[in-house]
Amino acid sequence: MARIFSGVQPTGNLHLGNYLGAIKNFVSLQSQNECIYCVVDMHAITVWQDPSQIANNTREVTAAFLASGLDPKKSLIFNQSRVPQHAEIGWIFNCVARIGWLNRMTQFKEKAGKIRENASVGLYVYPNLMAADILAYKATHVPVGEDQKQHLELTRDIAQKFNNDFGIEFFPIVESLIMKSASRIMSLRDGRKKMSKSDLSDFSRLNLNDDANAIATKIKKARTDSMPVPDGSLRGGDRDSRPEAFNLLEIYSALNDQAIPNIQAAFGGKPFSVLKEALIEVAVEKLGPIRKEMQRLLGDKAYIEGVLSAGAERARKIALPIRDDLFKILGFIQD
Ligand code: AMP
Ligand code: TRP
């Protein structure tokens, strides 16, 4: 049995990319594996977060987990700051990872923007904390979207270097679980940019708390090119020249669990308005119940917080002995 770990930041605007690229897969993994899913509040504060919002956002991610089908009896669900081992092991990894490795991280370059000097040090060492999240539990598999691949390679490098430096097979070398489809959902306004929580345009994404009207309006307004829906005669390379068209096909495919060639067989050559109508229908059908259940759960703060606190207690029980073993290997004097 594999041990699965993944995290989602409580930074608001949970969207379809988070659902299809990550949360939906968390759910399908939970019946066969031991799963640990974390709302990573300490990662969130690597860029400014309003303290009055972070609790709401943490509850919102938790509600999205539960509404999508995660069962707190099967999967362990908690918020990161409650389990001190993440930060402790994160510090150790700050001393294992090399500056050169972090300098290659593309997400830092994107998030830090033009004036890198002003970015927080936390944003720079973010991948080390992510490695600590995973390895605090000696997790073996990590389901994420494509954008996290480089961070998982860094996690492997950290584990490998630690094991080599201390001459012990202590940390596992984790495998990423990046699904072939829907691992990179693109913006509805620009097929070359990924759908993201921080895009200034709300029309760029379908939020998990959008109602049927908002879903319909956003899909209708989604950018396409002037050609009809691509038919099966198109080759893979055409994806690059028609990114918006393939993004809509990809979204339809993932929401409806139907292969892209089948969708092309049904819609190829037709105007995009026809595919959009069908997409609106399936999006409302699949996302509507999740939204409704999220709202119900968010009305019951005590329940959500109970899930997080019970999850944190179980998480600490797993992470503490691993941290103790780690400190022993490092040679620290302990109680
Ligand atoms: P974040 O919102 O950055 O905490 O991301 C949470 C999870 O959603 C991670 O596994 C990401 O890789 C995944 N994710 C975020 N945006 C997208 C996207 N546009 N397409 C697919 N997966 C995504
Ligand atoms: N960096 C991830 C993201 O932005 C979130 C994350 C933090 C994570 N720690 C993790 C994902 C550990 C997987 C495993 O999407």
Side-chain angles (χ1 to χ4, degrees):
M1 194 162 79
R3 182 176 278 173
I4 310 285
F5 184 98
S6 196
V8 175
Q9 302 187 68
T11 40
N13 296 334
L14 268 184
H15 55 72
L16 185 70
N18 298 130
Y19 176 67
L20 293 176
I23 300 171
K24 189 169 175 242
N25 305 321
F26 297 177
V27 178
S28 56
L29 288 161
Q30 82 177 337
S31 59
Q32 304 282 335
N33 303 283
E34 182 186 3
C35 295
I36 306 173
Y37 298 122
C38 185
V39 187
V40 287
D41 46 13
M42 295 205 299
H43 275 96
I45 62 160
T46 55
V47 298
W48 171 253
Q49 300 299 323
D50 183 340
S52 69
Q53 281 307 309
I54 199 149
N56 284 336
N57 290 337
T58 301
R59 283 188 291 266
E60 190 185 71
V61 174
T62 311
F65 282 176
L66 299 172
S68 302
L70 285 185
D71 175 352
K73 288 196 200 74
K74 287 191 192 141
S75 298
L76 222 144
I77 299 169
F78 67 102
N79 58 312
Q80 185 187 29
S81 59
R82 273 205 164 120
V83 181
Q85 288 76 29
H86 293 241
E88 290 176 326
I89 299 176
W91 177 258
I92 307 301
F93 289 170
N94 286 344
C95 304
V96 175
R98 306 289 93 183
I99 290 175
W101 301 356
L102 291 172
N103 283 344
R104 289 194 284 273
M105 296 295 115
T106 54
Q107 186 167 299
F108 174 74
K109 291 178 195 159
E110 280 160 24
K111 283 203 177 174
K114 286 202 185 76
I115 313 172
R116 208 165 289 178
E117 306 281 302
N118 283 349
S120 74
V121 177
L123 189 66
Y124 185 63
V125 295
Y126 173 116
N128 296 344
L129 181 61
M130 179 162 161
D133 297 338
I134 300 164
L135 296 175
Y137 304 91
K138 295 193 178 178
T140 53
H141 294 78
V142 183
V144 280
E146 168 76 32
D147 60 343
Q148 296 302 313
K149 195 171 169 202
Q150 195 183 32
H151 290 160
L152 291 180
E153 276 157 15
L154 189 96
T155 301
R156 293 162 64 98
D157 289 343
I158 288 175
Q160 203 110 53
K161 178 161 166 49
F162 181 91
N163 291 349
N164 284 344
D165 287 352
F166 293 91
I168 175 173
E169 287 303 306
F170 186 66
F171 288 122
I173 309 302
V174 298
E175 299 286 340
S176 58
L177 295 174
I178 300 173
M179 304 297 153
K180 269 192 219 81
S181 77
S183 63
R184 195 171 170 81
I185 299 293
M186 309 310 279
S187 156
L188 299 178
R189 306 301 299 156
D190 178 350
R192 290 190 164 77
K193 263 170 57 184
K194 82 173 177 183
M195 186 177 284
S196 124
K197 290 169 171 171
S198 55
D199 197 313
L200 294 176
S201 166
D202 199 49
F203 282 100
S204 68
R205 59 182 168 260
L206 293 183
N207 297 312
L208 291 187
N209 56 16
D210 281 342
D211 62 18
N213 273 338
I215 291 175
T217 313
K218 287 179 178 180
I219 293 178
K220 276 188 194 138
K221 271 186 174 252
R223 188 166 151 189
T224 51
D225 50 40
S226 54
M227 287 176 280
V229 177
D231 62 29
S233 64
L234 286 174
R235 302 266 168 267
D238 298 312
R239 277 174 187 252
D240 298 337
S241 58
R242 303 192 62 192
E244 286 88 9
F246 275 97
N247 190 39
L248 292 184
L249 285 173
E250 183 103 27
I251 292 174
Y252 187 92
S253 151
L255 279 174
N256 217 15
D257 291 314
Q258 209 184 337
I260 289 189
N262 297 345
I263 302 165
Q264 288 181 288
F267 293 96
K270 295 190 178 155
F272 261 99
S273 55
V274 180
L275 178 68
K276 282 183 170 182
E277 278 308 318
L279 181 56
I280 290 170
E281 201 174 302
V282 65
V284 169
E285 182 196 318
K286 300 282 169 157
L287 301 180
I290 295 177
R291 169 177 181 268
K292 218 171 128 207
E293 180 63 1
M294 274 176 76
Q295 288 193 329
R296 189 190 71 76
L297 287 162
L298 287 170
D300 192 350
K301 265 193 197 178
Y303 174 70
I304 301 246
E305 292 185 5
V307 167
L308 291 172
S309 99
E313 201 178 317
R314 287 167 63 197
R316 285 190 292 262
K317 287 209 175 98
I318 305 175
L320 184 60
I322 293 175
R323 198 268 336 232
D324 285 350
D325 287 348
L326 173 63
F327 280 15
K328 224 173 274 156
I329 294 167
L330 290 160
F332 293 166
I333 295 176
Q334 299 290 296
D335 290 333

Short mmCIF file of all heavy atoms in Angstrom, two decimals, residues 18-51:
data_model
loop_
_atom_site.label_atom_id
_atom_site.label_comp_id
_atom_site.label_asym_id
_atom_site.label_seq_id
_atom_site.Cartn_x
_atom_site.Cartn_y
_atom_site.Cartn_z
N ASN A 18 -7.70 23.21 -9.96
CA ASN A 18 -7.42 22.55 -8.68
C ASN A 18 -8.23 21.27 -8.56
O ASN A 18 -7.74 20.25 -8.05
CB ASN A 18 -7.78 23.45 -7.49
CG ASN A 18 -7.00 24.74 -7.44
OD1 ASN A 18 -7.57 25.82 -7.29
ND2 ASN A 18 -5.69 24.65 -7.56
N TYR A 19 -9.47 21.34 -9.01
CA TYR A 19 -10.33 20.16 -8.89
C TYR A 19 -9.87 19.04 -9.83
O TYR A 19 -9.59 17.93 -9.38
CB TYR A 19 -11.80 20.55 -9.17
CG TYR A 19 -12.71 19.34 -9.15
CD1 TYR A 19 -12.94 18.65 -7.97
CD2 TYR A 19 -13.31 18.88 -10.32
CE1 TYR A 19 -13.75 17.51 -7.94
CE2 TYR A 19 -14.12 17.74 -10.30
CZ TYR A 19 -14.32 17.07 -9.11
OH TYR A 19 -15.10 15.94 -9.10
N LEU A 20 -9.75 19.36 -11.12
CA LEU A 20 -9.43 18.30 -12.08
C LEU A 20 -7.97 17.85 -11.98
O LEU A 20 -7.66 16.68 -12.13
CB LEU A 20 -9.72 18.77 -13.51
CG LEU A 20 -11.20 19.01 -13.83
CD1 LEU A 20 -11.33 19.57 -15.25
CD2 LEU A 20 -12.02 17.74 -13.68
N GLY A 21 -7.07 18.82 -11.71
CA GLY A 21 -5.64 18.48 -11.66
C GLY A 21 -5.25 17.80 -10.36
O GLY A 21 -4.27 17.07 -10.32
N ALA A 22 -6.00 18.05 -9.29
CA ALA A 22 -5.57 17.54 -7.99
C ALA A 22 -6.70 16.85 -7.22
O ALA A 22 -6.69 15.62 -7.05
CB ALA A 22 -4.97 18.68 -7.16
N ILE A 23 -7.70 17.60 -6.77
CA ILE A 23 -8.65 17.09 -5.78
C ILE A 23 -9.40 15.84 -6.26
O ILE A 23 -9.59 14.88 -5.52
CB ILE A 23 -9.64 18.21 -5.36
CG1 ILE A 23 -8.84 19.38 -4.75
CG2 ILE A 23 -10.66 17.69 -4.34
CD1 ILE A 23 -9.66 20.64 -4.48
N LYS A 24 -9.80 15.84 -7.54
CA LYS A 24 -10.53 14.68 -8.08
C LYS A 24 -9.66 13.41 -7.96
O LYS A 24 -10.16 12.33 -7.64
CB LYS A 24 -10.86 14.98 -9.54
CG LYS A 24 -11.80 13.99 -10.19
CD LYS A 24 -12.28 14.52 -11.55
CE LYS A 24 -13.12 13.50 -12.28
NZ LYS A 24 -12.50 13.08 -13.55
N ASN A 25 -8.36 13.59 -8.19
CA ASN A 25 -7.47 12.43 -8.07
C ASN A 25 -7.25 12.02 -6.61
O ASN A 25 -7.08 10.84 -6.32
CB ASN A 25 -6.13 12.72 -8.73
CG ASN A 25 -6.30 13.15 -10.16
OD1 ASN A 25 -7.14 12.60 -10.88
ND2 ASN A 25 -5.54 14.14 -10.59
N PHE A 26 -7.27 13.01 -5.71
CA PHE A 26 -7.14 12.66 -4.28
C PHE A 26 -8.25 11.67 -3.92
O PHE A 26 -8.03 10.71 -3.18
CB PHE A 26 -7.33 13.89 -3.37
CG PHE A 26 -6.34 15.01 -3.53
CD1 PHE A 26 -6.49 16.19 -2.79
CD2 PHE A 26 -5.25 14.92 -4.37
CE1 PHE A 26 -5.60 17.23 -2.88
CE2 PHE A 26 -4.34 15.97 -4.48
CZ PHE A 26 -4.53 17.13 -3.74
N VAL A 27 -9.44 11.97 -4.43
CA VAL A 27 -10.60 11.14 -4.07
C VAL A 27 -10.44 9.73 -4.61
O VAL A 27 -10.66 8.74 -3.91
CB VAL A 27 -11.90 11.78 -4.61
CG1 VAL A 27 -13.11 10.91 -4.28
CG2 VAL A 27 -12.09 13.19 -4.05
N SER A 28 -9.99 9.62 -5.86
CA SER A 28 -9.91 8.27 -6.43
C SER A 28 -8.80 7.44 -5.78
O SER A 28 -8.84 6.22 -5.81
CB SER A 28 -9.78 8.31 -7.96
OG SER A 28 -8.67 9.07 -8.30
N LEU A 29 -7.83 8.11 -5.15
CA LEU A 29 -6.75 7.35 -4.51
C LEU A 29 -7.11 6.83 -3.12
O LEU A 29 -6.46 5.92 -2.60
CB LEU A 29 -5.50 8.25 -4.40
CG LEU A 29 -4.78 8.53 -5.72
CD1 LEU A 29 -3.87 9.76 -5.60
CD2 LEU A 29 -3.94 7.32 -6.15
N GLN A 30 -8.14 7.42 -2.52
CA GLN A 30 -8.34 7.15 -1.08
C GLN A 30 -8.81 5.74 -0.74
O GLN A 30 -8.58 5.28 0.37
CB GLN A 30 -9.22 8.21 -0.41
CG GLN A 30 -10.70 8.00 -0.59
CD GLN A 30 -11.56 9.01 0.15
OE1 GLN A 30 -11.14 9.63 1.12
NE2 GLN A 30 -12.79 9.16 -0.31
N SER A 31 -9.44 5.05 -1.70
CA SER A 31 -9.95 3.73 -1.31
C SER A 31 -8.85 2.67 -1.23
O SER A 31 -8.95 1.72 -0.47
CB SER A 31 -11.06 3.29 -2.27
OG SER A 31 -10.54 3.25 -3.57
N GLN A 32 -7.78 2.85 -2.03
CA GLN A 32 -6.75 1.81 -2.10
C GLN A 32 -5.48 2.15 -1.31
O GLN A 32 -4.57 1.34 -1.26
CB GLN A 32 -6.31 1.60 -3.55
CG GLN A 32 -7.43 1.28 -4.51
CD GLN A 32 -7.84 -0.17 -4.40
OE1 GLN A 32 -7.06 -1.01 -3.98
NE2 GLN A 32 -9.09 -0.46 -4.75
N ASN A 33 -5.40 3.37 -0.79
CA ASN A 33 -4.12 3.81 -0.21
C ASN A 33 -4.33 4.53 1.11
O ASN A 33 -5.44 4.91 1.44
CB ASN A 33 -3.42 4.78 -1.17
CG ASN A 33 -3.20 4.19 -2.54
OD1 ASN A 33 -2.31 3.39 -2.74
ND2 ASN A 33 -4.05 4.57 -3.48
N GLU A 34 -3.19 4.72 1.80
CA GLU A 34 -3.25 5.55 3.00
C GLU A 34 -2.99 6.99 2.53
O GLU A 34 -1.92 7.28 2.00
CB GLU A 34 -2.14 5.09 3.95
CG GLU A 34 -2.11 5.84 5.23
CD GLU A 34 -0.91 5.46 6.09
OE1 GLU A 34 -0.06 4.63 5.67
OE2 GLU A 34 -0.83 6.02 7.18
N CYS A 35 -3.98 7.87 2.70
CA CYS A 35 -3.86 9.20 2.10
C CYS A 35 -3.82 10.30 3.15
O CYS A 35 -4.58 10.28 4.11
CB CYS A 35 -5.06 9.47 1.18
SG CYS A 35 -5.09 8.37 -0.24
N ILE A 36 -2.92 11.26 2.92
CA ILE A 36 -2.77 12.41 3.82
C ILE A 36 -2.90 13.67 2.97
O ILE A 36 -2.11 13.88 2.05
CB ILE A 36 -1.39 12.36 4.51
CG1 ILE A 36 -1.19 11.01 5.21
CG2 ILE A 36 -1.23 13.53 5.48
CD1 ILE A 36 0.21 10.81 5.78
N TYR A 37 -3.92 14.47 3.25
CA TYR A 37 -4.16 15.68 2.46
C TYR A 37 -4.14 16.90 3.38
O TYR A 37 -4.84 16.95 4.38
CB TYR A 37 -5.48 15.58 1.71
CG TYR A 37 -5.49 14.43 0.72
CD1 TYR A 37 -6.44 13.41 0.79
CD2 TYR A 37 -4.52 14.36 -0.28
CE1 TYR A 37 -6.43 12.35 -0.11
CE2 TYR A 37 -4.50 13.30 -1.19
CZ TYR A 37 -5.46 12.31 -1.10
OH TYR A 37 -5.44 11.27 -1.99
N CYS A 38 -3.31 17.86 3.00
CA CYS A 38 -2.98 18.95 3.91
C CYS A 38 -3.35 20.30 3.30
O CYS A 38 -3.09 20.55 2.13
CB CYS A 38 -1.46 18.86 4.14
SG CYS A 38 -0.81 20.01 5.32
N VAL A 39 -3.96 21.15 4.11
CA VAL A 39 -4.22 22.52 3.67
C VAL A 39 -2.99 23.33 4.12
O VAL A 39 -2.77 23.50 5.33
CB VAL A 39 -5.51 23.08 4.31
CG1 VAL A 39 -5.85 24.43 3.70
CG2 VAL A 39 -6.67 22.09 4.11
N VAL A 40 -2.18 23.74 3.17
CA VAL A 40 -0.84 24.23 3.51
C VAL A 40 -0.85 25.75 3.77
O VAL A 40 -0.46 26.56 2.95
CB VAL A 40 0.20 23.82 2.43
CG1 VAL A 40 0.50 22.34 2.52
CG2 VAL A 40 -0.25 24.16 1.02
N ASP A 41 -1.26 26.07 5.01
CA ASP A 41 -1.35 27.49 5.37
C ASP A 41 0.02 28.16 5.47
O ASP A 41 0.16 29.35 5.19
CB ASP A 41 -2.20 27.68 6.65
CG ASP A 41 -1.85 26.71 7.77
OD1 ASP A 41 -0.81 26.03 7.68
OD2 ASP A 41 -2.63 26.61 8.75
N MET A 42 1.03 27.38 5.86
CA MET A 42 2.36 27.99 5.95
C MET A 42 2.95 28.27 4.57
O MET A 42 3.76 29.19 4.42
CB MET A 42 3.28 27.12 6.79
CG MET A 42 2.79 27.05 8.24
SD MET A 42 4.09 26.70 9.38
CE MET A 42 4.61 25.11 8.77
N HIS A 43 2.57 27.49 3.59
CA HIS A 43 2.98 27.83 2.22
C HIS A 43 2.28 29.11 1.75
O HIS A 43 2.86 29.92 1.04
CB HIS A 43 2.65 26.69 1.25
CG HIS A 43 3.72 25.64 1.19
ND1 HIS A 43 3.67 24.48 1.92
CD2 HIS A 43 4.87 25.59 0.49
CE1 HIS A 43 4.75 23.77 1.69
NE2 HIS A 43 5.49 24.41 0.82
N ALA A 44 1.00 29.25 2.15
CA ALA A 44 0.23 30.40 1.68
C ALA A 44 0.90 31.72 2.06
O ALA A 44 0.92 32.67 1.28
CB ALA A 44 -1.19 30.34 2.22
N ILE A 45 1.46 31.78 3.29
CA ILE A 45 2.01 33.08 3.76
C ILE A 45 3.36 33.43 3.14
O ILE A 45 3.96 34.44 3.52
CB ILE A 45 2.09 33.17 5.31
CG1 ILE A 45 3.03 32.11 5.87
CG2 ILE A 45 0.69 33.08 5.92
CD1 ILE A 45 3.51 32.43 7.28
N THR A 46 3.82 32.63 2.18
CA THR A 46 5.05 33.05 1.46
C THR A 46 4.76 34.27 0.60
O THR A 46 5.68 34.96 0.18
CB THR A 46 5.60 31.90 0.59
OG1 THR A 46 4.57 31.44 -0.29
CG2 THR A 46 6.10 30.74 1.44
N VAL A 47 3.48 34.50 0.29
CA VAL A 47 3.06 35.82 -0.22
C VAL A 47 2.01 36.34 0.76
O VAL A 47 1.38 35.56 1.48
CB VAL A 47 2.51 35.78 -1.67
CG1 VAL A 47 3.56 35.29 -2.65
CG2 VAL A 47 1.28 34.91 -1.77
N TRP A 48 1.82 37.65 0.81
CA TRP A 48 0.99 38.26 1.86
C TRP A 48 -0.41 37.66 1.90
O TRP A 48 -1.07 37.54 0.87
CB TRP A 48 0.91 39.78 1.66
CG TRP A 48 -0.10 40.40 2.57
CD1 TRP A 48 -1.32 40.91 2.23
CD2 TRP A 48 0.00 40.54 3.99
NE1 TRP A 48 -1.97 41.35 3.35
CE2 TRP A 48 -1.20 41.14 4.44
CE3 TRP A 48 0.98 40.21 4.94
CZ2 TRP A 48 -1.43 41.42 5.79
CZ3 TRP A 48 0.74 40.49 6.28
CH2 TRP A 48 -0.44 41.09 6.69
N GLN A 49 -0.86 37.29 3.10
CA GLN A 49 -2.24 36.84 3.30
C GLN A 49 -2.86 37.66 4.42
O GLN A 49 -2.25 37.82 5.48
CB GLN A 49 -2.30 35.35 3.71
CG GLN A 49 -1.72 34.37 2.72
CD GLN A 49 -2.42 34.39 1.38
OE1 GLN A 49 -3.63 34.55 1.29
NE2 GLN A 49 -1.64 34.25 0.32
N ASP A 50 -4.05 38.11 4.20
CA ASP A 50 -4.79 38.84 5.21
C ASP A 50 -5.19 37.87 6.32
O ASP A 50 -5.88 36.89 6.05
CB ASP A 50 -6.04 39.43 4.51
CG ASP A 50 -6.86 40.29 5.43
OD1 ASP A 50 -6.72 40.15 6.67
OD2 ASP A 50 -7.65 41.09 4.91
N PRO A 51 -4.75 38.12 7.57
CA PRO A 51 -5.06 37.18 8.65
C PRO A 51 -6.57 36.94 8.82
O PRO A 51 -6.98 35.88 9.28
CB PRO A 51 -4.49 37.84 9.90
CG PRO A 51 -3.54 38.86 9.41
CD PRO A 51 -3.94 39.26 8.02
#
